Amino acid sequence: EKYAKFVKERIEIEQNYAKQLRNLVKKYCPKRSPKDEEPRFTSCIAFFNILNELNDYAGQREVVAEEMGHRVYGELMRYSHDLKTERKMHLQEGRKAQQYLDMCWKQMDNSKKKFERECREAEKAQQSYERLDNDTNATKADVEKAKQQLNLRTHMADENKNEYAAQLQNFNGEQHKHYYIVIPQIYKQLQEMDERRTIKLSECYKGFADSERKVIPIISKCLEGMILAAKSVDEHRDSQLVIDCFKSGFEPPGDFPFEDYSQNIYRTISDGTISTPKQEGMRIDSKTTVGKAKGKLWLFGKKPKGPALEDFSHLPPEQRRKKLQQRIDELNRELQKETDQKDALIKMKDVYEKNPQMGDPGSLQPKLTETMSNMDRLRMEIHKNEVRLSNNSLENLRTLFRVLTLQSLHYSPEGSYTDDANQEVRGPPQQHAHPNEFDDEFEDDDPLPAIGHCKAIYPFDGHNEGTLAMKEGEILYIIEEDKGDGWTRARRHNGEEGYVPTSYIDVTLEKNSKGAVTYI
């Protein structure tokens, strides 16, 4: 019982240890939803693998506790109950043998006392007879009476003597049997019982160790899995994941052009002067360019603050592409679910039409209509995000082309600056602040070609910088389509350009016109 108590406490320790390990794993390995799927670092994957191996290790500790409880503790408790029953039976047999021996001794002792008493009575009768026989005054009748009494007492003494001898012989036999047969047999049974108890303890000791030895190979595999997880950490791959996850897609800014302020000193009023007056308004605003560059360096500067927009235009191009692609994949999964639901509803409706007793086909129509509406909505969302993704890719190509053009204009073929300062690249003034697109740092000198025209459905004031005011019914040229942010770039007949709300105009695109863009 003491060892069983020890095993029970060990089982509780194993169970608590396994529970604490599982809680630890649960704490550091939260459940990940499908929306959180993203490139994972090898160090993180290794850590999750170690947590999984530790969870398996905790399971093996539970196996140890279960094995000990079933093979050791349960067996000990059952065997202890059997031992108590057997011991009680042997003790009862010993008490019965002792009681029988005591009964035999009492019978022998009673016969002995009776024989002793009859002997004393016979001696008294003999003395009385001899006294009367020697007395001359005694009558013959008294003497005969005393003689008869003597004979009676002598006869009774002889009978008690025989009975006492028989009882004595019987008691000696029972006593010999008790001490040489019955009691030794009971002690032998108790000894065998104790030896079996000792053997059972030995088996339980072995089972106690085997319960843990059985799981050692699996525990070793868990530890080997942890070592393999540690060896699987690849620092170069993790670094590349960081680069792929956080690269912005921005091109490095080009070199600043040399601004020759001394040309006014040496300028002579001559018709042969090669230089032309500089258009100060067309120069690149260096402060604006630097400010933009700082806004892009999120790691070493302050991250731009602003609300998260639906088209992710607040993100850098590369991050925007990833978010848009994730959004498209998510919408495709939702569309597939709605499609499966529609197919199921159609099949159920066909079954109801063939078997009216199973249900009313008309009851499924509202749900079917709702599903079709959801599918149309999802298709529109997918198309809108695909257009945004295409525009984002096209904008990246435009930015790269402008940067390359800027670099080619800043340098001569030999790699030196051009001598004529008036040949500096001219950029447009910052006339607009597009709400959902990254500002182009450089613009082409030639105006963008018209790709269509539009008619204003509602008047628009255009007070904000970069917007274009229009009147109801006014006809404008379209020079840049809506990129998914709700704004379209338009131009008046007089050449004035700006952004107008797409919902305020009726657009007609001329895809075959010069400058029209076709998305693939």
Side-chain angles (χ1 to χ4, degrees):
E1 289 178 349
K2 185 175 182 180
Y3 182 64
K5 184 179 179 181
F6 162 77
V7 174
K8 182 179 180 181
E9 292 183 2
R10 170 66 189 276
I11 291 173
E12 291 176 354
I13 290 174
E14 290 290 348
Q15 290 174 342
N16 292 332
Y17 180 49
K19 183 179 180 181
Q20 290 177 0
L21 285 179
R22 290 195 183 277
N23 290 336
L24 182 66
V25 171
K26 185 177 180 181
K27 177 180 179 182
Y28 284 93
C29 187
K31 294 182 180 179
R32 299 173 63 85
S33 61
K35 295 182 179 179
D36 296 334
E37 293 180 357
E38 58 182 12
R40 298 167 67 181
F41 302 113
T42 57
S43 58
C44 296
I45 296 175
F47 179 61
F48 291 145
N49 291 337
I50 288 174
L51 291 177
N52 291 332
E53 296 292 347
L54 186 61
N55 193 54
D56 295 340
Y57 177 83
Q60 296 309 309
R61 304 319 306 182
E62 291 176 345
V63 170
V64 171
E66 183 178 356
E67 184 72 13
M68 286 183 179
H70 174 70
R71 181 176 176 182
V72 181
Y73 180 74
E75 186 69 17
L76 281 174
M77 297 304 294
R78 183 189 64 80
Y79 193 73
S80 176
H81 180 267
D82 294 342
L83 279 180
K84 288 180 179 179
T85 304
E86 184 179 356
R87 180 174 178 270
K88 184 178 180 181
M89 180 186 67
H90 293 322
L91 293 178
Q92 286 178 352
E93 290 178 356
R95 283 194 292 270
K96 288 180 180 180
Q98 188 65 40
Q99 289 173 0
Y100 180 72
L101 182 63
D102 292 341
M103 182 188 70
C104 292
W105 180 84
K106 287 181 179 179
Q107 290 177 355
M108 184 271 297
D109 188 60
N110 291 333
S111 63
K112 177 183 177 182
K113 291 179 178 179
K114 189 175 182 181
F115 171 63
E116 182 182 5
R117 185 172 61 250
E118 291 299 329
C119 287
R120 286 196 298 266
E121 292 294 333
E123 288 177 359
K124 290 180 181 180
Q126 185 177 3
Q127 290 175 3
S128 176
Y129 170 73
E130 290 176 355
R131 181 174 55 79
L132 290 174
D133 187 36
N134 294 329
D135 188 4
T136 56
N137 298 323
T139 62
K140 187 176 180 179
D142 293 335
V143 174
E144 288 295 327
K145 185 177 180 181
K147 186 177 179 180
Q148 291 178 358
Q149 185 70 24
L150 174 61
N151 291 333
L152 179 62
R153 291 296 179 183
T154 303
H155 179 71
M156 292 181 65
D158 290 338
E159 288 182 354
N160 286 326
K161 180 180 179 181
N162 294 332
E163 183 181 358
Y164 169 64
Q167 291 293 336
L168 180 61
Q169 185 179 3
N170 180 61
F171 172 75
N172 289 334
E174 293 296 334
Q175 181 175 254
H176 184 274
K177 180 181 178 181
H178 177 80
Y179 285 105
Y180 287 92
I181 298 176
V182 178
I183 294 300
Q185 184 68 26
I186 293 175
Y187 277 124
K188 185 179 180 181
Q189 292 174 352
L190 289 171
Q191 181 179 357
E192 291 175 353
M193 182 193 71
D194 189 73
E195 289 176 355
R196 292 198 308 271
R197 179 188 66 85
T198 306
I199 292 173
K200 178 59 69 173
L201 276 176
S202 176
E203 293 176 354
C204 291
Y205 292 159
K206 184 180 178 182
F208 182 83
D210 287 341
S211 299
E212 188 162 359
R213 187 172 63 180
K214 285 182 178 179
V215 301
I216 286 179
I218 303 178
I219 291 177
S220 299
K221 289 184 180 179
C222 293
L223 298 177
E224 289 175 2
M226 294 182 185
I227 294 175
L228 291 177
K231 291 181 179 179
S232 67
V233 176
D234 187 351
E235 66 279 8
H236 301 296
R237 181 182 175 187
D238 288 354
S239 298
Q240 190 60 40
L241 282 176
V242 174
I243 295 171
D244 294 339
C245 186
F246 294 102
K247 64 181 179 181
S248 65
F250 289 122
E251 291 293 334
D255 295 337
F256 284 95
F258 176 75
E259 299 182 11
D260 191 2
Y261 294 101
S262 63
Q263 61 182 350
N264 292 328
I265 302 175
Y266 303 104
R267 179 181 295 173
T268 58
I269 303 175
S270 173
D271 294 336
T273 301
I274 299 177
S275 61
T276 57
K278 293 201 304 182
Q279 300 180 8
E280 296 295 336
M282 301 298 289
R283 287 193 179 184
I284 300 172
D285 190 350
S286 61
K287 294 182 179 180
T288 305
T289 305
V290 174
K292 292 177 184 176
K294 287 183 178 179
K296 298 170 186 176
L297 299 177
W298 293 353
L299 180 62
F300 305 105
K302 293 183 178 180
K303 187 174 181 178
K305 295 182 179 180
L309 302 177
E310 181 184 1
D311 60 348
F312 305 109
S313 58
H314 61 287
L315 297 175
E318 186 66 21
Q319 300 300 315
R320 185 188 184 199
R321 181 189 65 78
K322 291 182 180 180
K323 292 294 184 181
L324 288 172
Q325 188 62 50
Q326 291 176 3
R327 179 60 178 164
I328 291 173
D329 295 340
E330 181 181 352
L331 290 172
N332 281 325
R333 288 193 293 269
E334 294 181 5
L335 180 60
Q336 185 61 39
K337 291 181 181 178
E338 294 293 336
T339 304
D340 296 340
Q341 185 175 0
K342 182 199 72 173
D343 295 340
L345 290 172
I346 292 176
K347 292 180 180 179
M348 190 179 298
K349 185 177 180 180
D350 293 340
V351 172
Y352 286 175
E353 290 176 351
K354 295 178 181 178
N355 303 294
Q357 67 274 10
M358 296 183 66
D360 181 14
S363 62
L364 300 176
Q365 190 60 37
K367 186 64 177 178
L368 187 60
T369 303
E370 181 184 356
T371 303
M372 297 292 291
S373 176
N374 291 336
M375 291 175 61
D376 294 338
R377 177 182 58 81
L378 290 172
R379 288 193 184 97
M380 291 178 61
E381 288 289 331
I382 293 172
H383 177 70
K384 184 165 63 174
N385 283 278
E386 286 177 347
V387 171
R388 291 170 179 170
L389 184 61
S390 300
N391 291 339
N392 184 71
S393 302
L394 183 61
E395 188 65 26
N396 292 342
L397 292 176
R398 287 177 178 174
T399 303
L400 178 60
F401 175 75
R402 289 166 185 164
V403 170
L404 293 176
T405 303
L406 171 66
Q407 293 177 352
S408 64
L409 292 175
H410 277 180
Y411 294 94
S412 63
E414 292 78 11
S416 59
Y417 287 106
T418 55
D419 295 332
D420 192 355
N422 288 325
Q423 295 180 2
E424 297 175 0
V425 177
R426 296 175 295 170
Q430 303 296 330
Q431 295 178 354
H432 65 274
H434 202 289
N436 289 319
E437 292 293 331
F438 293 99
D439 295 329
D440 293 328
E441 296 187 9
F442 304 99
E443 295 290 345
D444 298 331
D445 292 337
D446 297 333
L448 294 175
I451 60 175
H453 63 277
C454 66
K455 180 179 180 181
I457 305 175
Y458 309 103
F460 178 64
D461 296 335
H463 294 312
N464 296 330
E465 183 180 0
T467 58
L468 181 66
M470 62 182 180
K471 298 178 181 179
E472 183 178 356
E474 185 177 358
I475 303 298
L476 302 173
Y477 291 114
I478 301 297
I479 59 176
E480 189 175 344
E481 291 184 74
D482 185 359
K483 297 181 180 180
D485 54 7
W487 294 88
T488 301
R489 192 172 178 182
R491 180 195 298 137
R492 281 203 181 92
H493 295 284
N494 59 3
E496 186 179 358
E497 298 180 0
Y499 287 90
V500 295
T502 306
S503 59
Y504 281 40
I505 58 176
D506 183 12
V507 180
T508 302
L509 296 179
E510 300 172 0
K511 295 187 177 181
N512 295 327
S513 64
K514 184 180 179 180
V517 180
T518 302
Y519 296 106
I520 300 176

